[in-house]
Amino acid sequence: MSIQESIKIQDMGDIGLVEFDMVGEKVNKLGTPMMTRLREVIAELKKSKFKAVIFKSNKNRIFIAGADIEEIKGITTKDQFDKVVAMGQQIFNELEDLPMPTIAAVNGACAGGGCEFIMACDYRIASEDSSTRIGLPETKLGIIPGFGGCVRMPRIIGLQAALDIILAGKLVNAQKAAKIGLVDQAVHPAIMMDQAVKMAKELIAAGGKKRRKTFEPKGMMNKMLEGALRGVVFSQAKKGVMKMTHGHYPAPLKAIEAIKKSYGMSDREQAMKIEREAFVEAATTEISKNLIHVFYLTEMVKKQTGVTGGSSAKARDVKALGILGAGTMGGGIAFTAADKGIAVRMKDINYDAIGKGLKHARELWQKEVKKKRINKFELTQRMDRVSGTTDYSGFKSLDVVVEAIVEDMEIKKKVIGLTAAEMRPDAIIATNTSSLSVNEMAAGHPNPQYFAGMHFFNPVNKMPLVEVIRGEKTSDETIATIFELSKKMGKMPVVVKDGPGFLVNRLLLPYMAEAAFLLQEGMSIEVVDRTYVKDFGMPMGPFALMDEVGLDVCIKVLKIFKKAFGNRVEMAACMEKLGTSGRLGKKNGKGFYKYDEKGYRTEVDQSIYQELGLSSPSNPLTTKECVERGIFAMINECSLALIEDRVVETPHEVDLAMIMGTGFPPFRGGLLKYADTIGSQYVVDQLEIYSSKGAARLKPSTPLRNMAKNSSKFYKS
Ligand code: NAD
């Protein structure tokens, strides 16, 4: 079939109905072939007898997903970008200039180029289906809207609402889009097309006039902010971006610049030129390449099954999930599964715990209701999916059980055996353990091929990563099932081999342990945490992170690592002292930081220095050394985990896991993309310098040295 089939015109008398249905793809996306075809269609419409045109999509729950990222990825030079963007702008201008009124009828995702397309139409109707999400996510990829989005959106919905969407890369639902004037109507999906046809007929009856929607601010203040005081809006927007990003993401700043220069301009060509130039500048940065790489990693997971090597194992469909333990993790897992339509049976040893688990889930859904993401009926529906028990009633009908009880090998093994006896012989049990051996625990299961790890991160509802742990005896079918179940729960799974700390915690531990050495060498908690957050872009500094994890847990895991990895793991003396200090971190409100009664971190607890036998911090080390010691310790450990131990198969999985599991700054493309950018030779040289000061733990690993010797990279292409 040819690309002609991807956009077709149906003759409905006075109305032309244009249907998007990209051949051979699940979604409609705007790459060169589709844009070329669109140009032909627009030319046909221009010459046609139609008095109005409606655009719709025949894809399931997708209008137009956006530009073709594959194509953007392949472009490297400024000239190439300029050409592609100029063509896109021109085609959308031709759409805007069609002689008859045009209506976009939007059902499903309408992002980036899709949103820019509908803004070049005269009218927009959106279906209230939950899949309808409209907006401009470009800044999340390090670029800016380049097909007229920076020019048309502020004109249609006003400066303030447009900046809100463009700078955060937001998508909004149909109701919100109607509220801010991005669409003219939000209607039930069943009547959307009828409404579009009705609107077209009314427009024809009224003379078929074109319109160019221009935002009308309400109230004196808004009028001033859109007019004489717009400088304030731009400077506030810039301040907001700097606060959120610490200047690490240039795209939102470029978007502000482009909008500031082009807003209100009557010369469309000139305005588009400003937008285009800003786009080209943003798109050719290393940061944009890194963010597109991260986007790719997330797309990669969507296509994966969790099993490789030509395995034909298929995932079983999981309709009902059991959870053992209704505590912090069990409650979060129950919420996440039920939220995605999976029936949940939660077992604990007493009803109090179940009550707490259910209450926690209800509170999370109530927050969703408050944010208008779901309604009260949907809340009830979700709550109805979760039931609790203190025995094994109902377990015979479950497909998978996730174990999230106390972190104790003997108890876990016993409970796994008892649970397996109450389930179908081929039912799967997955443990959420964060520090125990999945292989050892598998001995508790009578059929260990049906046993694996499913390691969620805390808080489960927010953290996207799931490490799917493959034990020595785990079957491909079990891995495929847990992998698919994780995706069904809206998570990003990465298959990891069993071993201390699996992948993410194994890499995080050296980072946290190094922070304790920095503290011992006279650095202050504030300076270290601030350096990692502001200079490097981590979401949280190592001390704040240790408080979150629990200082007792950190020390316990460090000891496990020391046993497993020997001299490579060292524990600073101050960390040993912490173990007996009664400071557990956030959970008891006493850690490196102080916490208020609601549990929010307030300030560094200055008494900790004296308590740990340290003198007042004098911050003798450079911020460069601070950052490099922690980050390079992770790279060093990763070279062993990936190259020697093959904990995961590819650098892609490491980077995805680190971004989704720890918030490693996406603009750096991931830990190993960053390592490749600075080069293995540099990492080895710096580690040599730092380790020569008596820090054997920082000696560069053999695989890393080999990489430096061969000038090779973690990513082979
Ligand atoms: P928690 O103490 O909050 O909850 C454990 C729950 O298990 C309690 O409600 C307890 O009553 C229940 N329980 C104990 N024995 C049971 C049994 N025999 N049958 C059924 N229920 C039983 O603990 P948590 O923080 O939710 O951790 C649970 C598991 O998840 C642990 O293995 C932990 O290592 C792992 N994990 C925790 C985190 C975290 O940050 N908390 C992160 C990842 C993984």
Side-chain angles (χ1 to χ4, degrees):
M1 271 199 275
S2 73
I3 193 77
Q4 309 295 115
E5 302 289 311
S6 295
I7 311 178
K8 287 194 290 199
I9 308 175
Q10 304 282 356
D11 187 337
M12 291 174 63
D14 281 348
I15 303 170
L17 178 67
V18 179
E19 297 172 318
F20 285 85
D21 196 351
M22 195 169 175
V23 174
E25 294 282 346
K26 275 193 192 151
V27 303
N28 294 315
K29 49 187 173 183
L30 300 177
T32 302
M34 276 296 264
M35 290 300 277
T36 311
R37 172 66 188 142
L38 181 60
R39 181 168 240 176
E40 283 171 14
V41 168
I42 292 169
E44 270 180 58
L45 292 171
K46 194 174 170 186
K47 290 185 293 186
S48 73
K49 59 164 186 162
F50 301 126
K51 296 186 177 142
V53 174
I54 300 172
F55 294 95
K56 72 175 283 249
S57 160
N58 287 350
K59 295 282 187 217
N60 183 27
R61 311 183 99 197
I62 297 275
F63 182 73
I64 295 172
D68 186 346
I69 306 293
E70 185 79 48
E71 203 171 299
I72 297 185
K73 207 175 159 218
I75 302 176
T76 47
T77 69
K78 287 195 172 191
D79 272 1
Q80 286 170 314
F81 269 122
D82 189 71
K83 252 195 199 146
V84 169
V85 175
M87 180 175 106
Q89 290 183 335
Q90 213 173 331
I91 294 171
F92 284 7
N93 287 348
E94 287 163 16
L95 168 66
E96 192 171 54
D97 295 342
L98 275 174
M100 68 289 279
T102 50
I103 303 165
V106 181
N107 186 40
C110 177
C115 178
E116 292 176 298
F117 173 88
I118 69 166
M119 289 193 294
C121 293
D122 297 292
Y123 297 87
R124 292 154 286 275
I125 298 180
S127 105
E128 287 167 337
D129 189 85
S130 62
S131 66
T132 300
R133 311 277 297 154
I134 308 172
L136 296 171
E138 283 86 345
T139 51
K140 288 197 169 145
L141 294 177
I143 51 178
I144 69 166
F147 288 0
C150 290
V151 177
R152 291 193 179 95
M153 189 174 264
R155 190 197 78 214
I156 294 173
I157 65 172
L159 206 47
Q160 295 171 81
L163 285 172
D164 184 41
I165 289 187
I166 294 171
L167 302 186
K170 253 191 211 169
L171 300 174
V172 295
N173 64 20
Q175 282 96 339
K176 173 86 192 207
K179 196 170 164 206
I180 59 176
L182 184 54
V183 299
D184 299 287
Q185 292 178 25
V187 297
H188 191 280
I191 60 161
M192 185 186 70
M193 281 315 295
D194 292 344
Q195 279 298 107
V197 171
K198 184 168 166 256
M199 185 190 255
K201 285 184 177 161
E202 284 170 3
L203 287 167
I204 295 169
K209 278 211 202 93
K210 297 283 290 174
R211 86 149 170 187
R212 176 174 281 219
K213 185 177 179 242
T214 308
F215 177 69
E216 292 289 344
K218 288 198 184 85
M220 187 59 133
M221 196 57 198
N222 279 329
K223 276 191 184 127
M224 282 166 68
L225 288 172
E226 296 284 330
L229 291 184
R230 78 172 65 137
V232 177
V233 174
F234 286 117
S235 68
Q236 283 303 108
K238 193 170 171 185
K239 252 193 212 158
V241 169
M242 290 305 288
K243 194 169 169 219
M244 287 292 291
T245 66
H246 306 299
H248 291 307
Y249 294 79
L253 300 173
K254 279 266 161 278
I256 293 177
E257 244 176 66
I259 296 169
K260 195 172 170 182
K261 282 193 207 154
S262 63
Y263 188 58
M265 208 175 235
S266 55
D267 181 345
R268 186 175 69 184
E269 293 312 314
Q270 186 55 27
M272 293 290 172
K273 186 165 174 272
I274 291 167
E275 178 189 85
R276 194 164 68 242
E277 282 170 0
F279 179 97
V280 171
E281 274 180 42
T284 41
T285 58
E286 191 66 32
I287 290 170
S288 170
K289 297 268 170 258
N290 285 342
L291 291 170
I292 288 175
H293 168 69
V294 175
F295 174 79
Y296 250 83
L297 298 178
T298 61
E299 290 295 295
M300 170 190 86
V301 175
K302 287 185 196 160
K303 292 177 199 141
Q304 288 174 337
T305 60
V307 289
T308 49
S311 169
S312 58
K314 291 256 170 320
R316 295 188 219 160
D317 185 25
V318 180
K319 292 203 176 71
L321 179 73
I323 297 171
L324 298 173
T328 309
M329 297 305 284
I333 297 166
F335 165 84
T336 310
D339 198 55
K340 293 287 185 284
I342 302 167
V344 173
R345 188 88 173 133
M346 196 158 54
K347 180 190 178 303
D348 206 297
I349 38 183
N350 62 62
Y351 274 108
D352 266 4
I354 291 169
K356 270 191 207 152
L358 288 171
K359 186 168 166 267
H360 179 56
R362 174 178 283 278
E363 281 166 0
L364 290 174
W365 279 312
Q366 273 165 342
K367 278 189 194 159
E368 298 286 288
V369 172
K370 246 190 183 163
K371 288 183 193 154
K372 296 206 163 75
R373 292 210 184 117
I374 59 170
N375 57 38
K376 283 189 178 158
F377 172 69
E378 287 165 325
L379 180 150
T380 313
Q381 259 185 336
R382 282 161 171 74
M383 281 305 294
D384 286 349
R385 286 189 200 126
V386 190
S387 63
T389 177
T390 54
D391 55 28
Y392 288 100
S393 57
F395 269 52
K396 277 270 179 299
S397 61
L398 300 175
D399 307 293
V400 173
V401 164
V402 178
E403 170 280 306
I405 64 169
V406 280
E407 189 76 337
D408 181 302
M409 179 61 85
E410 289 319 307
I411 299 179
K412 280 196 196 272
K413 269 204 234 169
K414 192 172 141 216
V415 170
I416 285 160
L418 290 173
T419 308
E422 299 286 343
M423 298 180 74
R424 290 194 317 260
D426 66 345
I428 293 169
I429 301 182
T431 174
N432 181 43
T433 180
S434 43
S435 65
L436 303 174
S437 158
V438 169
N439 283 327
E440 193 183 336
M441 212 182 291
H445 198 294
N447 299 306
Q449 72 267 34
Y450 299 128
F451 185 72
M454 190 175 190
H455 184 214
F456 290 89
F457 288 73
N458 189 17
V460 180
N461 62 313
K462 291 212 177 117
M463 298 298 287
L465 182 69
V466 172
E467 288 180 324
V468 179
I469 323 293
R470 183 190 265 283
E472 277 158 12
K473 295 187 177 158
T474 311
S475 72
D476 277 358
E477 188 199 22
T478 299
I479 291 295
T481 304
I482 300 296
F483 197 86
E484 195 53 40
L485 171 63
S486 308
K487 286 204 261 182
K488 197 170 171 182
M489 289 171 72
K491 300 293 176 198
M492 295 276 164
V494 170
V495 178
V496 179
K497 213 164 85 177
D498 188 24
F502 309 128
L503 176 68
V504 167
N505 288 344
R506 174 167 170 180
L507 303 189
L508 267 186
L509 246 279
Y511 163 73
M512 295 194 280
E514 199 53 37
F517 283 100
L518 296 174
L519 182 68
Q520 206 157 273
E521 289 166 41
M523 295 303 291
S524 74
I525 293 163
E526 293 96 328
V527 168
V528 172
D529 272 2
R530 199 173 49 232
T531 303
Y532 277 103
V533 174
K534 291 213 167 142
D535 294 1
F536 193 76
M538 294 296 273
M540 200 180 269
F543 294 108
L545 180 64
M546 283 192 266
D547 267 8
E548 289 286 325
V549 173
L551 301 180
D552 53 333
V553 177
C554 290
I555 292 164
K556 185 177 147 196
V557 178
L558 256 172
K559 286 182 179 160
I560 295 175
F561 277 29
K562 192 152 180 51
K563 219 169 146 192
F565 300 128
N567 284 345
R568 210 163 81 223
V569 181
E570 289 176 80
M571 202 192 301
C574 65
M575 203 70 185
E576 297 268 12
K577 273 203 185 136
L578 254 187
T580 52
S581 67
R583 290 178 188 264
L584 301 180
K586 187 178 175 178
K587 62 186 161 197
N588 77 344
K590 215 169 171 298
F592 291 108
Y593 286 86
K594 288 181 182 169
Y595 293 82
D596 66 15
E597 60 285 353
K598 282 189 180 153
Y600 289 115
R601 195 167 59 236
T602 53
E603 57 182 339
V604 168
D605 186 345
Q606 299 297 340
S607 66
I608 196 166
Y609 298 102
Q610 205 184 4
E611 202 176 308
L612 299 180
L614 302 167
S615 44
S616 288
S618 58
N619 293 314
L621 307 175
T622 61
T623 52
K624 177 171 174 280
E625 175 166 349
C626 263
V627 167
E628 287 189 346
R629 276 172 51 180
I631 302 293
F632 291 6
M634 284 199 278
I635 296 173
N636 207 23
E637 186 61 36
C638 192
S639 66
L640 292 163
L642 178 69
I643 299 167
E644 273 192 359
D645 299 342
R646 305 222 60 84
V647 170
V648 285
E649 310 240 327
T650 63
H652 305 73
E653 289 161 300
V654 172
D655 283 346
L656 185 76
M658 289 304 283
I659 292 167
M660 299 299 158
T662 74
F664 189 89
F667 74 91
R668 297 197 184 272
L671 180 70
L672 298 185
K673 196 87 193 154
Y674 170 68
D676 280 351
T677 306
I678 53 175
S680 46
Q681 186 65 58
Y682 179 74
V683 179
V684 166
D685 290 347
Q686 292 303 101
L687 284 173
E688 290 286 15
I689 295 172
Y690 301 135
S691 62
S692 69
K693 296 184 207 162
R697 65 188 178 278
L698 292 175
K699 273 237 152 299
S701 72
T702 308
L704 201 58
R705 277 177 209 275
N706 288 339
M707 281 178 65
K709 209 174 3 168
N710 306 327
S711 309
S712 64
K713 292 179 180 265
F714 285 104
Y715 282 87
K716 300 299 169 216
S717 60

